[in-house]
Amino acid sequence: VQIEHIFNTVHDTDFGFEKQDIAGCSTYISLIEEAVTHLVSNYLSQLSCKSTILPKLKEFQDSLISLYLHHLCMVRPLGEGGKMKIATDILRWSEFWGDC
């Protein structure tokens, strides 16, 4: 699964609600976590030149964050509950990257 394609699914998520109905993170966050975990565990962990790869992984992470924020800026409609859901998603996203 292409990670960029997963970000497109943010537009399929309803953020227009007004109530604070925050039952966990959005599906696209879980899909991103699964895709990145798969990439790291099945491919990158097998490479021996970690010092060469780490700067490139940081660039990759930065580009994913930029792409994520780009998609979030286009989300409409956006209600108060949706804003809280996005805040929850961003928290989960930052926790995930902190664990990588």
Side-chain angles (χ1 to χ4, degrees):
V1 174
Q2 286 189 358
I3 294 174
E4 292 89 358
H5 176 72
I6 296 171
F7 280 116
N8 287 329
T9 65
V10 71
H11 304 289
D12 298 333
T13 305
D14 178 18
F15 291 106
F17 55 94
E18 295 299 326
K19 288 185 170 183
Q20 282 186 279
D21 180 24
I22 310 170
C25 67
S26 298
T27 304
Y28 68 89
I29 293 291
S30 299
L31 293 173
I32 290 292
E33 288 178 1
E34 288 174 20
V36 170
T37 300
H38 175 78
L39 174 70
V40 170
S41 64
N42 291 321
Y43 300 103
L44 300 179
S45 65
Q46 298 176 15
L47 300 174
S48 59
C49 51
K50 304 260 192 272
S51 62
T52 305
I53 294 170
L54 286 177
K56 294 298 179 187
L57 286 177
K58 177 67 175 139
E59 288 177 30
F60 175 66
Q61 178 185 13
D62 290 346
S63 68
L64 287 180
I65 291 169
S66 293
L67 182 62
Y68 178 51
L69 293 175
H70 174 78
H71 280 282
L72 284 180
C73 288
M74 295 186 292
V75 168
R76 297 292 182 272
L78 185 58
E80 289 303 314
K83 291 175 187 176
M84 292 303 297
K85 183 71 165 183
I86 288 174
T88 301
D89 291 345
I90 291 172
L91 178 62
R92 173 77 178 261
W93 173 267
S94 64
E95 288 171 351
F96 173 75
W97 283 110
D99 292 341
C100 284

